Amino acid sequence: MWCQRLAWLLRGSSGRRWPRSVAALARGHHTAPRSLRCAWQLHGDHLELTYGNTLMRLDFVWLRDHCRSASCYNAKTNQRSLDTASVDLAIRPQAVRVDESTLFLTWPDGHVTRYGLEWLVKNSYEGQKKQVMHPRILWNAEIYRQAQVPSVDCRSFLETDEGLKEFLQNFLLYGIAFVENVAPTKEDTEILAERISIIRETIYGRMWYFTSDFSRGDTAYTKLALDRHTDTTYFQEPCGIQVFHCLKHEGTGGRTLLVDGFHAAEQVLRRAPEHFELLSRVPLKHEYVENVGGCHNHMIGVGPVLNVYPWNNELYLIRYNNYDRAVINTVPHDVVRRWYHAHRALTTELRRPENELWVKLKPGKALFVDNWRVLHGREAFTGYRQLCGCYLTRDDVLNTARLLGLQA
């Protein structure tokens, strides 16, 4: 029966038959030496390949398009040379062969494509579903304190790859990292930031001073407490990393609140997966309208609260800011109430006291925050308090990490 069904698939709805060599291959399952745990089987439009514990379904056009031969791929530039639009969308291999480590495909024009089996496991859809793009350690306050994550000395950070790598590893795993013994000036903070990234200039400038003078139309420029939030949710792409450095505080209060948004979202997923799914599917508008002094801005960003990679459901961005969330007018009424329930579930997790890490920023200690993951806030304060900081481009930070051999 299996052979009859496959023969029908090989003929296709048009009645066209495959080349005899392919039809011959399709008469049964094909298995490499038993020690390899490898077997393959042809279907109408794809190759089914099992290697190790991974069952892969590899489309024939995909297999031709990703050929790494010298004529199809430039190994010096790591770029595709093959014109994908030139590949016949009905292409099928004339011959298939597997040895101990490699899949060989011969195409109708005689071109031979070779794939390492390990490469296929890593790069197939089925392989990617099993992989984590960004390894992380989710934390609450107790977990973070017990980890005793060290700060990195400023000189080591600036002058050695070892210090920079240690800092980036901490940052990638926890979403926050500290640098100690930084000269308490905006200029030295700028040098620090540029060690890992290009500074992202925004409507707030390149490097900014931050006081309670209400010089900008934002609650942050007051002495009031700030609830946990992520910044620039009203950008189409929220800023990736934020740098804080307290230059001076003559008064009381003003501790910084940090909450791992991914840890909170994980609790929602575990307790009410339907809430997690809704928060990852409903698009919302966030808006920033400013008319203060010479500053006139109207920014709008759109996206769900939780953003996940669709192939493995891995969370990569949380967009949470109750101050800047605009009118909810992007979903029908029967979804709105369910969204409020889901939002309440996430807010409950974010506000659990055990998830709150409170730190006192002081001159000389710079804080880097992953704005796509960790929410920050502030308790009310008295007296004069001045911070400086900036936003960094996420791509450049991750690029620096990868060049140092880290998974990012």
Side-chain angles (χ1 to χ4, degrees):
M1 287 296 294
W2 177 85
C3 291
Q4 291 175 353
R5 290 196 299 270
L6 183 56
W8 180 85
L9 290 170
L10 292 174
R11 285 195 298 270
S13 59
S14 65
R16 185 176 67 176
R17 292 181 178 271
W18 277 27
R20 182 173 298 176
S21 58
V22 178
L25 289 172
R27 289 176 185 148
H29 297 271
H30 298 261
T31 308
R34 183 173 299 177
S35 61
L36 297 177
R37 296 176 297 160
C38 177
W40 59 270
Q41 179 181 339
L42 285 172
H43 292 270
D45 59 1
H46 69 280
L47 172 70
E48 188 174 283
L49 176 68
T50 301
Y51 181 68
N53 296 319
T54 304
L55 171 62
M56 298 167 276
R57 295 177 176 87
L58 307 168
D59 183 89
F60 292 145
V61 178
W62 185 95
L63 286 166
R64 183 65 189 90
D65 179 48
H66 288 82
C67 180
R68 271 10 189 192
S69 68
S71 62
C72 298
Y73 188 81
N74 190 328
K76 291 183 178 179
T77 65
N78 295 297
Q79 291 176 304
R80 179 181 285 102
S81 302
L82 175 67
D83 177 14
T84 302
S86 70
V87 177
D88 181 1
L89 295 179
I91 195 169
R92 301 175 175 91
Q94 283 191 325
V96 178
R97 180 170 65 87
V98 178
D99 69 10
E100 293 183 354
S101 62
T102 309
L103 168 68
F104 299 86
L105 302 123
T106 302
W107 302 104
D109 62 358
H111 185 81
V112 176
T113 294
R114 299 170 177 84
Y115 287 111
L117 298 178
E118 293 290 347
W119 187 94
L120 287 171
V121 169
K122 179 181 178 181
N123 290 284
S124 66
Y125 171 73
E126 293 80 6
Q128 282 291 308
K129 284 181 67 175
K130 298 178 180 179
Q131 294 182 39
V132 174
M133 287 282 290
H134 309 288
R136 299 183 176 96
I137 297 175
L138 306 185
W139 52 268
N140 58 23
E142 183 63 23
I143 292 172
Y144 187 82
R145 291 193 183 97
Q146 288 186 357
Q148 297 184 325
V149 184
S151 299
V152 175
D153 180 74
C154 180
R155 185 170 180 178
S156 175
F157 176 88
L158 291 175
E159 298 179 3
T160 72
D161 285 347
E162 292 75 18
L164 180 60
K165 186 174 182 178
E166 180 185 5
F167 167 87
L168 286 169
Q169 183 67 85
N170 294 339
F171 179 81
L172 293 172
L173 290 177
Y174 295 96
I176 56 175
F178 296 89
V179 180
E180 298 269 15
N181 301 316
V182 184
T185 70
K186 184 176 75 169
E187 293 73 22
D188 286 281
T189 307
E190 182 176 2
I191 292 171
L192 197 75
E194 289 180 325
R195 172 70 164 132
I196 60 171
S197 171
I198 296 171
I199 293 174
R200 179 174 176 179
E201 189 162 358
T202 69
I203 58 174
Y204 302 105
R206 191 168 181 274
M207 294 289 300
W208 37 258
Y209 280 118
F210 193 87
T211 64
S212 56
D213 58 2
F214 201 65
S215 59
R216 304 300 299 262
D218 194 295
T219 311
Y221 288 78
T222 69
K223 296 182 180 181
L224 301 175
L226 284 175
D227 194 18
R228 61 225 72 202
H229 65 280
T230 59
D231 271 16
T232 61
T233 53
Y234 41 79
F235 286 8
Q236 285 292 63
E237 181 183 293
C239 292
I241 288 87
Q242 187 165 14
V243 182
F244 292 105
H245 187 189
C246 181
L247 305 181
K248 182 183 295 186
H249 184 199
E250 299 168 348
T252 61
R255 289 183 304 162
T256 295
L257 168 64
L258 299 168
V259 179
D260 186 354
F262 286 8
H263 172 76
E266 182 71 19
Q267 301 308 307
V268 173
L269 177 62
R270 183 172 60 85
R271 293 170 178 165
E274 69 280 5
H275 289 338
F276 183 98
E277 182 179 8
L278 196 64
L279 291 172
S280 69
R281 291 183 179 275
V282 173
L284 297 175
K285 295 177 184 176
H286 288 77
E287 188 171 27
Y288 179 71
V289 180
E290 179 182 33
N291 289 291
V292 176
C295 300
H296 304 282
N297 294 290
H298 189 175
M299 310 289 290
I300 297 177
V302 181
V305 174
L306 304 179
N307 297 257
V308 301
Y309 295 125
W311 60 88
N312 65 358
N313 211 39
E314 179 182 343
L315 183 62
Y316 68 87
L317 164 63
I318 181 169
R319 190 190 294 250
Y320 184 100
N321 191 317
N322 207 51
Y323 297 104
D324 296 324
R325 179 166 46 79
V327 175
I328 300 177
N329 54 18
T330 52
V331 289
H333 81 280
D334 59 323
V335 177
V336 169
R337 182 63 63 88
R338 290 194 292 119
W339 182 89
Y340 276 114
H341 279 282
H343 182 267
R344 183 67 54 84
L346 177 61
T347 300
T348 298
E349 294 299 331
L350 291 170
R351 290 181 176 175
R352 290 189 188 279
E354 60 266 30
N355 291 335
E356 298 178 342
L357 178 67
W358 290 93
V359 296
K360 180 70 173 179
L361 299 182
K362 59 183 181 180
K365 186 173 185 176
L367 166 65
F368 289 69
V369 178
D370 184 345
N371 187 55
W372 283 21
R373 171 183 173 181
V374 175
L375 288 71
H376 64 278
R378 177 191 72 203
E379 68 177 352
F381 65 92
T382 65
Y384 180 76
R385 182 175 184 261
Q386 184 186 57
L387 279 76
C388 76
C390 60
Y391 295 115
L392 304 182
T393 60
R394 186 176 191 80
D395 287 337
D396 287 292
V397 173
L398 299 183
N399 176 54
T400 302
R402 293 186 191 110
L403 291 175
L404 288 171
L406 298 173
Q407 183 177 345

